[in-house]
C-alpha cells in the first residue's frame, strides 16, 4: 500500500469511527479530498454554521446532565458531517425532549433565555431541521422512525416561548444573547476558536459517546461560555478518549481561525484546548457506580416517556 493510499485509508477509518458514516462513504470522501489524515471529519463551512453548531453542543450539556440513554452523551447516535447542514442522528427516545430543550424560551424567574437563541424547528421536503433565523445555518435531524414528528412543549407559566411568538425573526433578547456569545469577554478572547471546538465536538459523537460506554450515561455540564465538561464514573480512561479526539483532527488548524490554545494554563492530556475554550474529559474511577447502575438507567428512561 502506498503512503497516499495509507493516508486515505486512515482518514476514512477515523471519519467512520468518529461519526458512524459508512466506511465506503468515508473512502469516497477521501478520494474526493473532503477528508484527510490531518482533518478526517469535515468542518462546518462558515462562521455562522460553526456558531450555530457550537450553541447546540454547549446548550445540550446542562439539561442532559447525567440523564442519557444507551450511551448517547449529547443525545446523538451519529452524524453526517456535511460542511453545510450536517445531519444529526438523534436517539429515538430522547429526540423530542432534545428538540424541546433547544427551542428558545424566556424564563422570567431566571431572567434570561433557555435554549438556543435564534433556533427554530422547520419541516422542509419531508425533513425536520433546526434552523437559525438569523443566518443560513441549519442542521438536519434523523430519526429511526420515518414518520417521527417532534412532540413540542406546551406553554408553561413563567416561560415565554420565543420560538412560537417570533417564528421567522430574531427577537430583541435573542439578538442580545447572540451578540454576547459572539463578543470577546474576559473568559473568551477568541469566540471563533471556541465555536470551532464546540462545533467539532458535535461532529464527533461516537468518540464523545465512549465516555458513557460503561453504563449508558455520563455527566455533562459547563461552567460558562468557555467550556464543555464530560465526566463519567468508570470505564474508558479520559486520556484515551482525548487521544482519539486528537487523532480525529479536533485540534487541527482551520483557515481563518487562530486555534492555538492560550498560554494561561499548562496543557493537560485529558483536556482539549482551542483558544480559551476547552473540552474537559474526566473519568472518576469510582467504585460505587455499579451498585446503582440499573436503577439510574431505569430512572433516566422514565424521564423521556
Amino acid at each position: 500500500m502506498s503512503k497516499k493510499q495509507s493516508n486515505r485509508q486512515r482518514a476514512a477509518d477515523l471519519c467512520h469511527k468518529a461519526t458512524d458514516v459508512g466506511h465506503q462513504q468515508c473512502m469516497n470522501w477521501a478520494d474526493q479530498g473532503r477528508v484527510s489524515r490531518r482533518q478526517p471529519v469535515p468542518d462546518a463551512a462558515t462562521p455562522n454554521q460553526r456558531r450555530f453548531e457550537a450553541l447546540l453542543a454547549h446548550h445540550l450539556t446542562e439539561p442532559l446532565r447525567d440523564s442519557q440513554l444507551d450511551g448517547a452523551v449529547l443525545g446523538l447516535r451519529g452524524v453526517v458531517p456535511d460542511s453545510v447542514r450536517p445531519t444529526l442522528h438523534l436517539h429515538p427516545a430522547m429526540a423530542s425532549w432534545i428538540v424541546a430543550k433547544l427551542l428558545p424560551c424566556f424564563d422570567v424567574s431566571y431572567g434570561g433565555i433557555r435554549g438556543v437563541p435564534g433556533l427554530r424547528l422547520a419541516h422542509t421536503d419531508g425533513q425536520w431541521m433546526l434552523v437559525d433565523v438569523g443566518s443560513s445555518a441549519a442542521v438536519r435531524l434523523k430519526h429511526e422512525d420515518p414518520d417521527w414528528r417532534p412532540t413540542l412543549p406546551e406553554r408553561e407559566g413563567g416561560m415565554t416561548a420565543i420560538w412560537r411568538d417570533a417564528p421567522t425573526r430574531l427577537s430583541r433578547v435573542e439578538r442580545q444573547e447572540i451578540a454576547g456569545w459572539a463578543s470577546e469577554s474576559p473568559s473568551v478572547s477568541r469566540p471563533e476558536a471556541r465555536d470551532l471546538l464546540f462545533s467539532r465536538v458535535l461532529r464527533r459523537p461516537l468518540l464523545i459517546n465512549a465516555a458513557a460506554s460503561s453504563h449508558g450515561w455520563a455527566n455533562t455540564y459547563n461552567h460558562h461560555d468557555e467550556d464543555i465538561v464530560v465526566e463519567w464514573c468508570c470505564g474508558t480512561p479520559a486520556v484515551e478518549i482525548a487521544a482519539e479526539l486528537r487523532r480525529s483532527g479536533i485540534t487541527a488548524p482551520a483557515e481563518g481561525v487562530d486555534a492555538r490554545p492560550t498560554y494561561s494554563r499548562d496543557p493537560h492530556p485529558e483536556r482539549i484546548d482551542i483558544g480559551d475554550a476547552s473540552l474537559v474529559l474526566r473519568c472518576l474511577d469510582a467504585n460505587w457506580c455499579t451498585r446503582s447502575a440499573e436503577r439510574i438507567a431505569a430512572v433516566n428512561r422514565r424521564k423521556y416517556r
Side-chain angles (χ1 to χ4, degrees):
M1 182 182 292
S2 70
K3 183 176 181 180
K4 183 177 181 180
Q5 288 175 319
S6 176
N7 284 338
R8 286 173 48 249
Q9 181 70 49
R10 288 181 179 134
D13 291 347
L14 289 166
C15 182
H16 172 66
K17 188 174 183 178
T19 67
D20 203 32
V21 172
H23 191 271
Q24 183 56 54
Q25 182 62 58
C26 294
M27 282 296 294
N28 292 342
W29 286 353
D31 291 337
Q32 297 161 10
R34 293 179 60 186
V35 302
S36 66
R37 177 79 181 275
R38 181 182 68 84
Q39 187 50 278
V41 179
D43 278 333
T46 67
N48 282 333
Q49 185 68 36
R50 285 195 294 269
R51 174 184 57 78
F52 188 58
E53 293 177 19
L55 283 165
L56 292 177
H58 188 261
H59 278 69
L60 280 171
T61 59
E62 289 288 340
L64 280 168
R65 282 285 178 167
D66 56 357
S67 297
Q68 299 92 353
L69 297 175
D70 305 320
V73 173
L74 292 179
L76 304 180
R77 284 183 158 179
V79 63
V80 180
D82 292 333
S83 58
V84 178
R85 297 188 175 182
T87 300
L88 307 182
H89 183 184
L90 303 179
H91 185 287
M94 302 166 68
S96 289
W97 188 90
I98 287 169
V99 171
K101 290 300 179 181
L102 291 173
L103 290 169
C105 297
F106 187 83
D107 185 338
V108 175
S109 61
Y110 167 61
I113 289 182
R114 305 284 188 186
V116 175
L119 180 145
R120 304 292 186 268
L121 180 65
H123 191 251
T124 305
D125 297 328
Q127 178 77 61
W128 289 103
M129 300 174 61
L130 301 177
V131 303
D132 176 22
V133 292
S135 74
S136 61
V139 299
R140 297 183 176 93
L141 303 180
K142 178 184 176 182
H143 194 282
E144 64 182 30
D145 179 1
D147 297 322
W148 172 69
R149 182 183 183 87
T151 302
L152 301 182
E154 301 292 335
R155 294 188 182 272
E156 300 178 56
M159 300 284 284
T160 300
I162 300 171
W163 58 275
R164 277 196 177 104
D165 295 345
T168 60
R169 61 176 176 81
L170 286 173
S171 66
R172 178 182 57 82
V173 68
E174 286 179 300
R175 291 183 186 278
Q176 293 172 344
E177 191 85 3
I178 291 170
W181 175 268
S183 300
E184 295 183 5
S185 68
S187 61
V188 181
S189 63
R190 282 182 270 161
E192 69 284 353
R194 180 267 323 277
D195 290 351
L196 177 66
L197 174 60
F198 292 176
S199 170
R200 286 175 169 177
V201 168
L202 194 75
R203 287 167 172 261
R204 291 158 172 78
L206 297 197
L207 300 184
I208 300 297
N209 288 355
S213 59
S214 290
H215 305 306
W217 69 86
N219 185 29
T220 59
Y221 58 94
N222 60 75
H223 294 101
H224 198 48
D225 290 350
E226 73 275 12
D227 69 6
I228 288 174
V229 182
V230 182
E231 64 181 15
W232 58 102
C233 52
C234 65
T236 308
V239 67
E240 290 185 14
I241 296 178
E244 287 291 338
L245 285 165
R246 291 189 178 95
R247 279 191 284 271
S248 78
I250 199 169
T251 58
E255 186 176 355
V257 179
D258 184 354
R260 295 172 300 173
T262 62
Y263 298 101
S264 58
R265 54 186 172 180
D266 293 331
H268 194 285
E270 299 177 358
R271 192 184 67 231
I272 307 294
D273 296 320
I274 291 184
D276 310 292
S278 298
L279 169 64
V280 181
L281 303 163
R282 188 177 295 142
C283 182
L284 303 177
D285 290 323
N287 58 14
W288 44 258
C289 59
T290 55
R291 295 198 298 270
S292 57
E294 292 183 6
R295 178 182 60 81
I296 294 173
V299 170
N300 286 355
R301 193 162 294 278
R302 286 198 295 271
K303 177 176 181 177
Y304 302 105
R305 289 176 181 169

